[in-house]
Amino acid sequence: MAMHLRWLSAGPCWRAVRGACGELRAYGELRAWAPRCAAGRLCRPPGTACREQSRGLGYGPPVGGGSRLRTRLAAGLAGLVGLAAAAFGHVERAEMVRKSSGAQSASPGRPEEEDDELARRCRCFMAPPVTDMRELRRRPDDMKTKMELLILETQAQVCQALAQVDGGARFSVDRWERKEGGGGISCVLQDGHVFEKAGVSISVVHGNLSEEAAKQMRSRGKLLKTKDGKLPFSAMGVSSVIHPKNPHTPTIHFNYRYFEVEEADGNTLWWFGGGCDLTPTYLNQEDAVHFHRTLKEACDQHGPDLYPKFKKWCDDYFFIAHRGERRGIGGIFFDDLDSPSKEEVFRFVQSCTQAIIPSYVPLVKKHCDDSFTPQEKLWQQLRRGRYVEFNLLYDRGTKFGLFTPGSRIESILMSLPLTARWEYMHSPSENSKEAEILEVLRHPRDWVP
């Protein structure tokens, strides 16, 4: 079913509400790049948009080795779009500007398209789309347009929700360009009241894959046909890591991406990837169930087999081999998802993005004012050290970006916390709360049926 821009309008401009973590600012006090949203329009947070049922979602037939090759293939994909990081070039810094109140009417002589539905949606984003608006209007039903608007919308909704909860620091907005084609928007909050560091980035890049990159993909099972050594591609995604200050508030990571490759014969290969996972410092059974149940409900709209399949994939992927433990308590993870159709997989990804805020923000509000001891803060710092170890040693997207000449290092390392700690031969006491979380990290649990 063709999906139009109006259908995607879940509304990025979420009106602020009061939370449990101090005074939350009204939406008008948040800063954003444009003057305001459409007059009188209340936009909905993720998870409240009307959802459609879709059954039979899965991934395509095994290619040259099945799921293992699919897992390995994520190296190139996450590097290009997962971290919104491996891009080159100029960075434009712009603070989020105050949204004004009141209705906006079209100025005399203003082109009508400046006040169409697309323009109104884009005013609510953290920055203008990477792709030129004329191009987006020209291809409203193209998956690249739909995905770019979805990741921009997701970025805006998450940033606004986090800023409201934090009540202090603001997001800085870096808009960067890639000379080979495309660019991205990196939004980072540092040293807030609640969050030590929160980053939400998008990238929308295109160009030609190098012959070396094409060879790597072929070695992982993709039969790619180049023309004169060139392989045009388009890739886009949203990626975020959020590190709270309070050791009883968990860290979250999410990433959703789309990739297209155009072969020499004109055939287009496409796939989606992504996931969302939670990394608590201390185990809270109720939090774990809430997080996983929210993700499961999003997956179940599109097939009962998806959550258990992607939950296991997540447990297997976020494994710190040299420590013999997982990075956190998991969530969902998938890659190379290319069936049954673009539209159905897109709707699944959309459901996943809509689950981000309801799965996480209630946990932040629940714990951001919890008291904690110096020993608990120390344990948080040690667990962050494990987070750093995974990201630098095992995460395929980080490694791909770091080894790409001219990569934008700041965006690649955005996922790292401001502070972390390593102690020689540290081991928690038996039967302690610290030992309890380690047991779960070494032996993953099923949190929801």
Side-chain angles (χ1 to χ4, degrees):
M1 179 181 68
M3 297 175 65
H4 299 279
L5 295 177
R6 289 185 64 88
W7 190 91
L8 277 177
S9 184
C13 304
W14 185 10
R15 185 183 297 273
V17 296
R18 286 191 176 273
C21 307
E23 182 178 0
L24 302 185
R25 301 185 173 194
Y27 182 74
E29 294 180 45
L30 291 175
R31 296 189 159 192
W33 72 275
R36 43 171 238 313
C37 300
R41 181 179 167 198
L42 260 184
C43 303
R44 293 170 292 185
T48 62
C50 178
R51 300 176 175 178
E52 294 188 6
Q53 293 288 332
S54 175
R55 296 298 174 187
L57 180 69
Y59 28 133
V63 180
S67 59
R68 179 172 296 180
L69 288 173
R70 294 177 181 281
T71 302
R72 292 175 180 173
L73 179 61
L77 311 184
L80 285 167
V81 294
L83 294 173
F88 310 91
H90 178 65
V91 177
E92 301 174 3
R93 177 170 295 278
E95 270 203 343
M96 298 166 65
V97 298
R98 184 179 300 275
K99 293 207 175 236
S100 60
S101 59
Q104 179 182 16
S105 58
S107 302
R110 171 182 288 181
E112 185 177 345
E113 66 181 18
E114 291 187 16
D115 286 297
D116 64 7
E117 177 66 16
L118 175 60
R120 287 190 290 271
R121 287 186 65 196
C122 291
R123 291 187 191 119
C124 298
F125 298 155
M126 302 297 284
V130 175
T131 303
D132 186 88
M133 294 282 284
R134 290 168 295 184
E135 177 68 11
L136 296 177
R137 288 189 177 94
R138 187 184 66 81
R139 50 174 172 84
D141 295 323
D142 189 281
M143 185 53 66
K144 294 189 293 293
T145 297
K146 297 175 183 178
M147 190 63 182
E148 180 170 353
L149 294 178
L150 177 62
I151 62 177
L152 282 161
E153 197 164 72
T154 301
Q155 180 186 54
Q157 291 170 337
V158 172
C159 287
Q160 290 158 16
L162 297 179
Q164 291 161 12
V165 171
D166 191 90
R170 295 168 175 168
F171 278 90
S172 64
V173 180
D174 284 343
R175 183 181 178 86
W176 49 268
E177 296 178 1
R178 179 176 180 266
K179 64 181 181 179
E180 292 83 354
I185 303 161
S186 296
C187 300
V188 180
L189 181 156
Q190 293 186 153
D191 265 334
H193 295 328
V194 173
F195 302 107
E196 182 178 288
K197 186 178 182 183
V200 189
S201 288
I202 70 149
S203 66
V204 181
V205 298
H206 56 85
N208 289 302
L209 287 178
S210 66
E211 184 60 32
E212 180 180 355
K215 288 180 180 178
Q216 290 177 354
M217 288 190 175
R218 290 192 192 98
S219 70
R220 294 177 173 91
K222 290 290 185 184
L223 303 175
L224 303 175
K225 307 166 190 173
T226 61
K227 182 178 182 180
D228 300 326
K230 295 181 179 180
L231 193 64
F233 80 96
S234 295
M236 58 198 65
V238 58
S239 182
S240 175
V241 177
I242 301 162
H243 295 288
K245 288 186 171 181
N246 194 305
H248 297 292
T249 306
T251 286
I252 190 177
H253 158 261
F254 67 84
N255 169 271
Y256 294 101
R257 55 194 177 272
Y258 175 69
F259 199 95
E260 279 189 5
V261 173
E262 183 180 339
E263 296 184 294
D265 59 5
N267 182 46
T268 298
L269 302 178
W270 60 270
W271 56 90
F272 291 83
C276 184
D277 61 282
L278 197 70
T279 304
T281 303
Y282 288 96
L283 180 64
N284 183 296
Q285 178 87 13
E286 187 179 73
D287 293 352
V289 171
H290 168 82
F291 181 77
H292 278 268
R293 179 181 291 133
T294 307
L295 297 186
K296 183 178 185 298
E297 289 171 354
C299 292
D300 285 352
Q301 298 174 69
H302 306 273
D305 61 324
L306 297 183
Y307 169 76
K309 182 189 304 181
F310 297 156
K311 192 266 185 188
K312 183 180 185 305
W313 200 339
C314 186
D315 289 336
D316 292 343
Y317 177 75
F318 292 104
F319 181 64
I320 309 173
H322 65 277
R323 299 285 187 182
E325 61 193 43
R326 275 74 185 168
R327 187 176 74 177
I329 62 169
I332 58 173
F333 180 86
F334 58 91
D335 216 332
D336 205 22
L337 200 58
D338 58 4
S339 70
S341 70
K342 280 185 183 180
E343 297 297 341
E344 291 182 76
V345 182
F346 174 77
R347 286 193 289 269
F348 166 68
V349 171
Q350 186 180 44
S351 295
C352 292
T353 63
Q354 291 171 346
I356 294 167
I357 292 175
S359 72
Y360 182 63
V361 170
L363 306 183
V364 178
K365 292 181 178 180
K366 177 181 176 182
H367 294 293
C368 63
D369 288 330
D370 287 359
S371 61
F372 57 88
T373 66
Q375 291 74 24
E376 289 172 332
K377 188 65 179 178
L378 171 63
W379 179 244
Q380 180 194 48
Q381 298 295 297
L382 292 170
R383 294 312 307 169
R384 283 182 176 174
R386 300 289 200 271
Y387 205 95
V388 173
E389 289 176 23
F390 177 85
N391 282 27
L392 295 182
L393 296 178
Y394 297 103
D395 187 80
R396 296 187 294 267
T398 302
K399 292 168 65 176
F400 186 93
L402 290 175
F403 288 102
T404 299
S407 296
R408 189 161 183 259
I409 303 301
E410 288 299 321
S411 292
I412 296 172
L413 300 181
M414 183 191 72
S415 63
L416 300 182
L418 287 183
T419 60
R421 186 181 178 97
W422 287 264
E423 287 191 4
Y424 183 71
M425 297 294 289
H426 182 276
S427 180
S429 302
E430 188 176 355
N431 298 322
S432 65
K433 292 189 298 181
E434 291 78 13
E436 179 185 33
I437 186 68
L438 278 182
E439 175 64 22
V440 173
L441 300 180
R442 291 166 180 165
H443 304 97
R445 294 181 187 175
D446 290 328
W447 301 101
V448 292

